[in-house]
């Protein structure tokens, strides 16, 4: 009977280690459309794909115009956009209210998954 204790302890330790690594996992940005640093024709929507399902009520994004052709001192300006989930629970969709003018843009995102720890980041792209 005592010979099984080390085996049981090992199995318990492995189970706890696996459970803690899953519990502390954070969502990571896997891809975006447009891609980070891409030069594109004005997109109708921006899609962010994450490694985990998002809690949409706690996740979000801001679309910011960071530069405009011919205006060297263009201050960052928030752009009106709707942020929503999609049929894919790992995706976030940012839909500008109006067509994006030529210039440079940044999407500042906040992603929260089941571990409830917010992770932030950004992508940038240029509209031709």
């Amino acid at each position: 009977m005592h010979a099984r204790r080390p085996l049981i302890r090992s199995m318990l330790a492995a189970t706890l280690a696996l459970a803690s690594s899953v519990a502390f996992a954070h969502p990571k940005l896997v891809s975006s459309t447009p891609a980070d640093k891409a030069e594109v024709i004005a997109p109708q929507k921006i899609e962010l794909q994450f490694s985990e399902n998002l809690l949409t009520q706690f996740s979000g994004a801001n679309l910011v115009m960071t530069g405009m052709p011919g205006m060297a001192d263009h201050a960052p300006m928030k752009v009106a956009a709707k942020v929503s989930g999609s049929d894919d629970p790992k995706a976030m969709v940012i839909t500008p209210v109006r067509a994006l003018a030529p210039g440079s843009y940044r999407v500042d995102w906040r992603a929260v998954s089941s571990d409830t720890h917010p992770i932030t980041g950004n992508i940038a792209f240029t509209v031709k």
Side-chain angles (χ1 to χ4, degrees), residues 48-69:
L48 305 177
Q49 187 71 37
F50 292 89
S51 59
E52 296 185 26
N53 293 354
L54 301 177
L55 296 176
T56 55
Q57 67 270 35
F58 302 117
S59 301
N62 287 313
L63 178 59
V64 179
M65 185 178 209
T66 57
M68 183 175 264

Side-chain angles (χ1 to χ4, degrees), residues 29-102:
L29 183 65
V30 175
S31 65
S32 67
T33 305
D36 189 30
K37 299 179 181 50
E39 188 172 322
V40 299
I41 296 171
Q44 293 182 353
K45 63 183 176 178
I46 298 119
E47 295 184 57
L48 305 177
Q49 187 71 37
F50 292 89
S51 59
E52 296 185 26
N53 293 354
L54 301 177
L55 296 176
T56 55
Q57 67 270 35
F58 302 117
S59 301
N62 287 313
L63 178 59
V64 179
M65 185 178 209
T66 57
M68 183 175 264
M71 293 183 71
D73 294 330
H74 185 279
M77 178 177 68
K78 189 171 176 183
V79 176
K82 178 184 173 199
V83 180
S84 62
S86 77
D87 291 340
D88 181 351
K90 295 180 181 180
M92 183 184 305
V93 179
I94 300 97
T95 306
V97 172
R98 292 179 213 29
L100 297 179

